[in-house]
Amino acid sequence: MSIRPQTLPKARAQTIQRMLGLHDKPNPFLRGNDEGVTGRIVSHLRAAELYWVSEDMAALAMSSGSQLAAARWATADRPSPCGLIYFDGGVGTVQVSGTMSGPVQALAWGPSPDGTLTVTHLMTREHFMGGAQVPFPEAVPPLVAIREARLPVTVEPVPFVDLPAHEGMKPPLPIVSALAAAWHLMQQPQLVERGSVEPGKADARSLRRSGLPSDPVTLVSLRRQYVPQAREGEPSGSRVYRHRWVVSGHWRDQPHGPERALRRKTWIPAYVKGPDGAPLLSTERVNVWRR
């Protein structure tokens, strides 16, 4: 069962409560963790801003993330210093224990004592219970922490292939690249629509009584129609194109900031280029993704 935007605050609160029951012992659901991992994850979840990403947006993050070669993980590059982002449909799988693999459906991030950024990979309780024998199932939180990654906080982007291992495991590149892509895409209002969803009234009252956060959830989804504002390489002068062709989606370093001296990764969606009415070249297969 997936978590909906209105129920994400409650799921976060129940996860905090059940993890606090561990009394800062090593998390029994998290593979290879240190003694302070429970307190660190709880601290990140308490301070986290909440994001719920629609299934088509999650798919775009996965697809566009595969075209990124590097990323920065500094505070200025994140939508918030600490966050919890739930991807409807998930963003890939990781090895949980032995031969068992599980889907990653949410990611939480926050600072680590060593100055790196901790990204906690989370699976829903239903998926975890479907693949594990747990002696006390009532103690399993709605979001189960199954893996950690430590990402360097640097001035320059770090290539994904150079990311260091944590406790003998390299960060799963499809997942961390999807997170980096999601952060970039969330800064593109012409492509991405952001809204706010409040928790249900009963849940909000219960959370306030418990002294737990009842913050609204930022809903992130693709706009229904997108028309590029500026197309690269439009014909100019006396050059005349007699065909149309498809330009694949790609990342571009977009100038911004004072005197446009800074660069920000911007996703340019696929579009058809060339004069209206001209024949469409079909030398390549074109996959059309409709909502």
Side-chain angles (χ1 to χ4, degrees), residues 1-4 7 86 105 124-127 142:
M1 190 172 90
S2 63
I3 295 174
R4 307 309 301 165
T7 62
Y86 180 86
Q105 292 153 302
T124 62
R125 181 181 188 275
E126 288 74 18
H127 277 91

Side-chain angles (χ1 to χ4, degrees), residues 161-193:
V161 295
D162 294 337
L163 290 176
H166 174 56
E167 296 183 336
M169 295 181 290
K170 294 277 284 186
L173 298 190
I175 294 172
V176 295
S177 63
L179 178 63
W183 289 354
H184 287 309
L185 294 168
M186 287 165 66
Q187 299 180 51
Q188 294 186 238
Q190 77 277 20
L191 174 63
V192 173
E193 189 169 12

Side-chain angles (χ1 to χ4, degrees), residues 58-139:
L60 177 60
M62 287 288 289
S63 174
S64 59
S66 67
Q67 297 188 40
L68 283 173
R72 294 195 326 167
W73 308 99
T75 304
D77 300 291
R78 311 170 211 158
S80 56
C82 295
L84 169 62
I85 186 167
Y86 180 86
F87 294 92
D88 192 26
V91 282
T93 61
V94 295
Q95 187 177 7
V96 179
S97 62
T99 59
M100 175 186 171
S101 296
V104 175
Q105 292 153 302
L107 296 168
W109 67 84
S112 299
D114 60 3
T116 61
L117 179 73
T118 294
V119 178
T120 304
H121 301 56
L122 300 139
M123 177 195 297
T124 62
R125 181 181 188 275
E126 288 74 18
H127 277 91
F128 182 81
M129 296 293 292
Q133 297 295 323
V134 181
F136 301 102
E138 66 277 3

Side-chain angles (χ1 to χ4, degrees), residues 9 18 32 39 44-45 51 74 78 81 104 151 177 286 289:
R18 294 178 188 179
H44 292 166
L45 289 175
Y51 305 90
R78 311 170 211 158
V104 175
L151 304 175
S177 63
V286 178
W289 174 25

Side-chain angles (χ1 to χ4, degrees), residues 247-266:
V247 177
S248 300
H250 58 282
W251 291 101
R252 181 171 67 190
D253 288 324
Q254 183 72 28
H256 73 104
E259 300 182 356
R260 299 175 65 78
L262 303 176
R263 294 294 182 270
R264 177 169 55 211
K265 287 290 183 185
T266 302

Side-chain angles (χ1 to χ4, degrees), residues 45-57:
L45 289 175
R46 281 188 178 277
E49 292 191 24
L50 304 180
Y51 305 90
W52 190 94
V53 175
S54 66
E55 188 173 7
D56 53 358
M57 185 71 199

